[in-house]
Amino acid sequence: MLILLVDSNETTRNERAAALQHQGWKVVDADDPATALIWVADAAEIDLLITEAIFPSGKMGFELREAVATKFPIAQVLFTTRYDLAGFEANIGDAPVLKDKPFTPDRLVARVMDLTQPAGATPTVEAPALLPPGSVLGNNEIIERLYTEMDSETYRAVQRAVSRQVALVLLKPELLAREDAVRAFKERERIKASVSHHRIAPLYEAGTENGWLFYTREIPPGRSLEEIRAAGEKLTERALAESLHGIAEAMHHAAAERGLHHRALSTRDIYIDSESQASVVNVFRPPADKPRDQHADVRALLGLFKPVIGAGKARGLLQSIAAEDLDWAGLLEHINTVRDEMRERSVIRKAEGVHDDDGAGGKRARSTALLWLAGAVVLMLAAMLGGFAGKGYEEPAPVSRPAEMVWIPKGEFVYQNGERKQLEGFAISKNEVTIAQYAAFLQALKQSPDAKQYDHYEQPPEKKSHVPEGWDAYYAAAASGASFNGQPLSTSCPVTRVDWWDVVAYCKWKGERLPTEEEWERAARGEIGNLFPWGSEAKPGAANLGDDYDRTGVKGGAIDGYNLWSPVGNLDDVSNLGVADLAGNVQEWTATWDTHPDYPDLRVPVMRGGHFGMKSSTQLLTSRYFAESPDEPAFTRGFRTASDQKP
């Protein structure tokens, strides 16, 4: 272990350095922050920084801590002080402080061992807890002390009225007489109470009992990163991506979008559950004089994960993210891209023929393995557009036929497993929106003086375009009538790779809207609740489904004539109301949002219908599928429009 020791007193610095070196640790010492910064600039590693918080010259160790954290995010810090640090709580954060009374070199060694001891080591003796186990404060019975900070102690407690475990944060009694400390604590409570996000532990209550100030907050589900590290466990690549996504969501919402100040995240602030979903402790607090550096905070976060990442893909992912030097918005965008790629890789790894047959019970979609998906855009470009390269190819102007709308009259119908519902009359497009129709929309956006007028009011600010990924190659191939995987592709095929925000914008541009899932099912099953659009008897080949899908493209389409997409309305997949391609071709976005069955605190758009890679079943028209988020596009997913106006 390499320790950087910064101490202005030559005598004590030499004594302390010698005591640390006696433990077998390598020590580099300096007498002030400026000298230390010069050494840090060229250093290859630092495991622990021990520095005075305030030097006799008036210089401070806080900026040195930030410089070390920027270059060595995983390095730990221990502040020493000869002065009262009241008022510097925000600067110190959750870093431990050793007060010089003076302390002996042995005490310094013991404190360093506390910071660096392996799991299972015997800790040094701490001061007794202010609230021993079994004591009661308000409605809360203390279970154990979790940790101590400069101005507070945090306990695990149980709210007796509802038998719920909480974290109880207590202002240290010696600070109750100080108006500034009490005021700062209450202001911290106010800020924390204003934060509402499903990945940030909410404040439950703020109370006063026997003159003591405290508040309680949620203990997030799962285990802290500190506990995972102590157990010697390692996260997989997927677990790392999911965890970072949750943290990025939380910090982007509070720190980037709302501009809230916060202390540095630590391993005890990050909780990861069994599904690799991460939450963070509510670390937000009143503004400080100096705003936080988001890039430095993201680097520090990645450093916290370094000890729980093994060799291989997870380590490579962590390093690749660190190399980007991202802020919170950049991290969220980057991780969303990584998760999209992982989902496609997952589809590729699934055995051919896997399909979703979960019925109407609300299980998440498990799409059939489409082994070409991950590289589809690249393959399209290579296989279909290779001949255009360098030949002055120009994108043809989109030719879009008006969408034909079908009126569904007002009335009662059978919904899901026999429930009878009533709907007002509505119109729904006979066919799924085609590549040509979507191209006309994109062309209109280019010419519009205010294209943003079509955006949904909740569309994320980082989403700047409605052009699907790989669109140029995709559209040019379709417009030229090229073949892919032995199958013709045309602009009459349904548009895919559009997310929920894209399809809502398209609908608004058309003066229409997305159908709700009830409207979608009404159009698909008629009044009596048919199992298939055409009736209640299976009809092989009537819909473009995955019973004849072949990943190689050699034999695909033997039953319905298509291995991948088909032009819209080309098969007998038509309901008795005249609406086409509801059982197959591509799955479809709807206007309905609901709670994701795997994540009870996450609401996402609902999707309906089968697609060309999904095997036939009697649940195609009743199964409900859930996107991971509205930002999630797929090659198997498109949409159709609806309206309240008669055509």
Side-chain angles (χ1 to χ4, degrees):
M1 180 170 68
L2 191 150
I3 300 173
L4 173 59
L5 172 66
V6 189
D7 192 311
S8 59
N9 186 295
E10 183 178 5
T11 300
T12 57
R13 185 174 70 251
N14 291 338
E15 291 176 349
R16 293 165 183 175
L20 295 168
Q21 290 169 334
H22 184 70
Q23 302 298 318
W25 300 324
K26 183 177 179 181
V27 179
V28 175
D29 65 274
D31 59 359
D32 69 1
T35 304
L37 281 170
I38 295 172
W39 185 86
V40 169
D42 295 325
E45 62 174 320
I46 297 175
D47 297 298
L48 172 64
L49 168 67
I50 304 174
T51 179
E52 288 181 83
I54 302 176
F55 289 79
S57 63
K59 294 180 181 178
M60 297 186 182
F62 307 126
E63 291 185 4
L64 175 59
R65 186 262 302 275
E66 294 300 321
V68 170
T70 298
K71 188 172 182 181
F72 305 102
I74 198 173
Q76 295 178 290
V77 62
L78 170 62
F79 286 119
T80 62
T81 183
R82 298 177 174 87
Y83 304 97
D84 181 4
L85 296 183
F88 291 95
E89 290 83 3
N91 303 87
I92 294 167
D94 62 349
V97 176
L98 191 55
K99 294 181 179 179
D100 195 343
K101 297 184 179 178
F103 58 78
T104 64
D106 287 344
R107 185 164 173 238
L108 174 62
V109 169
R111 196 68 185 88
V112 171
M113 286 182 172
D114 281 348
L115 286 172
T116 59
Q117 63 185 344
T122 302
T124 55
V125 177
E126 296 184 2
L130 296 169
L131 297 174
S135 56
V136 175
L137 195 61
N139 182 44
N140 307 284
E141 182 175 342
I142 303 302
I143 299 174
E144 62 177 332
R145 182 173 62 181
L146 296 176
Y147 48 85
T148 298
E149 295 178 284
M150 271 294 292
D151 62 346
S152 63
E153 289 194 348
T154 299
Y155 296 84
R156 185 189 305 275
V158 61
Q159 288 183 327
R160 297 189 297 178
V162 292
S163 299
R164 174 174 62 184
Q165 283 202 14
V166 298
L168 185 148
V169 181
L170 174 73
L171 179 67
K172 290 183 175 178
E174 61 264 29
L175 298 177
L176 289 170
R178 283 182 37 193
E179 291 185 5
D180 59 335
V182 171
R183 183 170 56 251
F185 191 78
K186 289 185 175 181
E187 179 65 8
R188 191 187 309 176
E189 291 174 339
R190 186 189 67 79
I191 295 295
K192 292 178 185 294
S194 74
V195 180
S196 177
H197 191 273
H198 66 280
R199 295 192 185 275
I200 300 173
L203 190 80
Y204 287 144
E205 64 172 330
T208 303
E209 184 76 14
N210 297 328
W212 287 17
L213 288 179
F214 69 94
Y215 63 82
T216 60
R217 60 163 173 80
E218 178 191 58
I219 296 178
R223 294 179 298 159
S224 70
L225 194 61
E226 184 177 62
E227 292 171 315
I228 294 171
R229 177 178 178 179
E233 297 177 15
K234 303 296 183 183
L235 300 182
T236 65
E237 178 194 28
R238 184 172 298 278
L240 174 63
E242 290 298 317
S243 300
L244 289 176
H245 176 260
I247 300 165
E249 270 195 333
M251 300 305 293
H252 179 258
H253 167 78
E257 292 185 334
R258 293 193 56 193
L260 295 180
H261 186 67
H262 61 91
R263 62 170 171 78
L265 284 170
S266 73
T267 53
R268 65 175 177 240
D269 297 322
I270 297 167
Y271 282 74
I272 302 173
D273 67 16
S274 60
E275 298 296 324
S276 302
Q277 301 303 301
S279 303
V280 298
V281 168
N282 194 325
V283 296
F284 303 97
R285 52 185 59 200
D289 294 335
K290 182 180 178 183
R292 295 198 66 86
D293 181 343
Q294 290 190 28
H295 292 267
D297 285 333
V298 171
R299 289 194 296 270
L301 170 68
L302 300 179
L304 297 179
F305 276 87
K306 188 175 180 181
V308 296
I309 298 302
K313 290 183 178 179
R315 177 59 56 89
L317 173 60
L318 193 68
Q319 292 174 343
S320 68
I321 297 172
E324 296 291 329
D325 193 25
L326 305 167
D327 59 9
W328 292 121
L331 177 63
L332 183 58
E333 180 179 3
H334 188 88
I335 287 295
N336 276 328
T337 300
V338 168
R339 293 168 77 233
D340 284 345
E341 293 170 353
M342 286 183 175
R343 275 192 289 268
E344 292 183 357
R345 290 204 324 248
S346 178
V347 169
I348 291 172
R349 286 194 297 266
K350 288 182 180 179
E352 182 185 352
V354 174
H355 67 287
D356 181 71
D357 191 15
D358 290 322
K363 299 294 184 182
R364 78 185 349 182
R366 297 177 180 87
S367 298
T368 300
L370 306 173
L371 299 194
W372 53 274
L373 274 185
V377 172
V378 176
L379 288 174
M380 283 181 183
L381 185 60
M384 298 186 283
L385 295 182
F388 299 136
K391 296 184 180 180
Y393 176 78
E394 295 182 359
E395 177 178 308
V399 178
S400 172
R401 297 178 181 176
E404 182 178 349
M405 303 295 285
V406 176
W407 180 253
I408 310 297
K410 174 182 178 179
E412 189 179 72
F413 70 106
V414 175
Y415 181 68
Q416 294 286 284
N417 293 327
E419 178 184 1
R420 302 199 70 84
K421 281 199 170 188
Q422 183 84 15
L423 277 179
E424 295 295 321
F426 66 96
I428 191 167
S429 59
K430 177 180 179 180
N431 298 307
E432 294 154 332
V433 174
T434 66
I435 295 172
Q437 290 164 345
Y438 196 83
F441 162 62
L442 294 181
Q443 187 66 31
L445 291 189
K446 287 182 181 179
Q447 299 169 355
S448 173
D450 182 21
K452 292 184 70 62
Q453 64 180 302
Y454 304 115
D455 291 351
H456 190 277
Y457 71 96
E458 290 184 336
Q459 179 175 305
E462 60 266 24
K463 182 173 176 63
K464 306 295 185 184
S465 169
H466 294 296
V467 179
E469 182 180 354
W471 171 259
D472 290 341
Y474 176 61
Y475 177 70
S480 67
S483 293
F484 175 67
N485 222 11
Q487 173 185 302
L489 181 70
S490 75
T491 55
S492 295
C493 290
V495 68
T496 64
R497 199 64 174 168
V498 284
D499 65 25
W500 195 83
W501 311 110
D502 295 329
V503 304
V504 169
Y506 176 94
C507 291
K508 190 173 182 180
W509 169 73
K510 289 283 289 183
E512 296 168 355
R513 59 177 174 79
L514 278 176
T516 66
E517 66 168 334
E518 289 88 357
E519 291 172 336
W520 188 97
E521 189 170 323
R522 167 77 171 91
R525 302 181 68 199
E527 294 178 359
I528 62 174
N530 291 325
L531 295 179
F532 304 97
W534 53 84
S536 290
E537 296 294 328
K539 188 192 297 185
N544 182 7
L545 291 165
D547 299 304
D548 56 357
Y549 171 71
D550 175 33
R551 63 184 177 84
T552 68
V554 176
K555 300 178 182 179
I559 298 175
D560 54 46
Y562 298 94
N563 193 40
L564 308 177
W565 317 270
S566 66
V568 298
N570 237 32
L571 295 172
D572 293 332
D573 183 5
V574 181
S575 74
N576 58 11
L577 295 166
V579 186
D581 295 323
L582 292 157
N585 213 11
V586 294
Q587 200 167 69
E588 299 173 22
W589 289 106
T590 75
T592 301
W593 286 54
D594 204 354
T595 301
H596 196 297
D598 294 334
Y599 313 118
D601 55 354
L602 181 64
R603 289 180 62 82
V604 295
V606 177
M607 305 170 296
R608 299 299 295 267
H611 59 69
F612 58 82
M614 183 181 292
K615 290 189 180 294
S616 59
S617 80
T618 56
Q619 282 82 41
L620 287 171
L621 304 185
T622 55
S623 290
R624 306 174 69 222
Y625 306 96
F626 296 80
E628 295 292 333
S629 81
D631 311 307
E632 180 192 48
F635 281 106
T636 56
R637 189 179 308 140
F639 70 107
R640 69 179 71 230
T641 66
S643 173
D644 296 319
Q645 303 299 317
K646 277 191 174 183

